[in-house]
Amino acid sequence: AEAITTRTAYEQLYLDKATMHVEEKRRIARAAAELVENGDSVILDSGTTTIEIAKQLTSHTKLTIITNDLHIASTVAFHPTTQVMVTGGIKREDVNVLVGNITENFFNAIRVDKTFLSADAVDLNFGVSNTTFVEQNVKRLMIKAAKEVILVADHSKFGNTALAQVCALHEVDRIITDSGLSLEMREDLERMGLPLIIV
């Protein structure tokens, strides 16, 4: 028997994701926010970890926050000097995320300081992956748009694969995860030369 949550194409509901590993996501978010300097331009990928990052950026000033996540755009009260840009696109009703050609064209036409990338799964060989193809190319363009790509994922995502590959691990500049990450996985990532922040 196989738990449904381990299947590569199974996508959990947003509200279910939001209740899982909450404290770990908050610790990851605090560490992520420490990497952001006032005046930075930042892409926040959609997800329950990146919305926690958004909440940690409310005291930063003169940021440009770019996202396709309507939860981030509509629920987080950033500093008055921060500009929030929403990509446009087709709304995925179940997760309040914008996708499609308009979204992709937006990311293809910009360059930013940092992208905070979320993941459904992270595997040493398959890399970062997502349960659906609909967000795959959007995430790839987020990576392309940034000077620095920071993967933010709690320990439960590691050692798993999802349906659609987003990128290889060498395309990520830094990984922030929590102390629940296995020692074996940590050592493997370090052997690959990937800078790790463990919180």
Side-chain angles (χ1 to χ4, degrees), residues 27 44 60 85 94 117 175 177 191 194:
R27 295 202 307 269
L44 293 179
H60 285 64
M85 301 177 70
D94 49 344
L117 184 72
I175 297 173
T177 188
R191 271 195 292 271
L194 288 164

Side-chain angles (χ1 to χ4, degrees), residues 34-156:
E34 289 178 4
L35 300 178
V36 178
E37 300 178 15
N38 292 334
D40 272 354
S41 54
V42 176
I43 292 173
L44 293 179
D45 192 2
S46 62
T48 55
T49 302
T50 48
I51 195 168
E52 292 298 329
I53 296 173
K55 292 174 184 176
Q56 293 295 322
L57 294 177
T58 56
S59 296
H60 285 64
T61 59
K62 299 180 180 178
L63 298 179
T64 299
I65 302 286
I66 302 165
T67 189
N68 65 329
D69 187 319
L70 295 176
H71 287 291
I72 291 172
S74 63
T75 65
V76 180
F78 294 100
H79 191 274
T81 61
T82 288
Q83 175 179 244
V84 179
M85 301 177 70
V86 183
T87 61
I90 300 168
K91 181 184 175 187
R92 290 189 65 201
E93 290 294 339
D94 49 344
V95 289
N96 269 344
V97 171
L98 299 173
V99 294
N101 287 343
I102 294 172
T103 313
E104 293 173 14
N105 289 340
F106 187 100
F107 283 121
N108 201 36
I110 64 169
R111 293 296 179 266
V112 299
D113 296 306
K114 298 176 178 74
T115 284
F116 288 97
L117 184 72
S118 62
D120 288 331
V122 184
D123 179 75
L124 294 174
N125 298 312
F126 195 58
V128 178
S129 53
N130 204 62
T131 53
T132 66
F133 279 102
V134 70
E135 292 183 46
Q136 179 191 44
N137 204 44
V138 171
K139 288 175 178 283
R140 287 178 174 175
L141 291 168
M142 289 178 179
I143 293 167
K144 180 183 174 184
K147 294 177 185 175
E148 182 178 13
V149 179
I150 302 154
L151 176 65
V152 288
D154 70 72
H155 71 275
S156 70

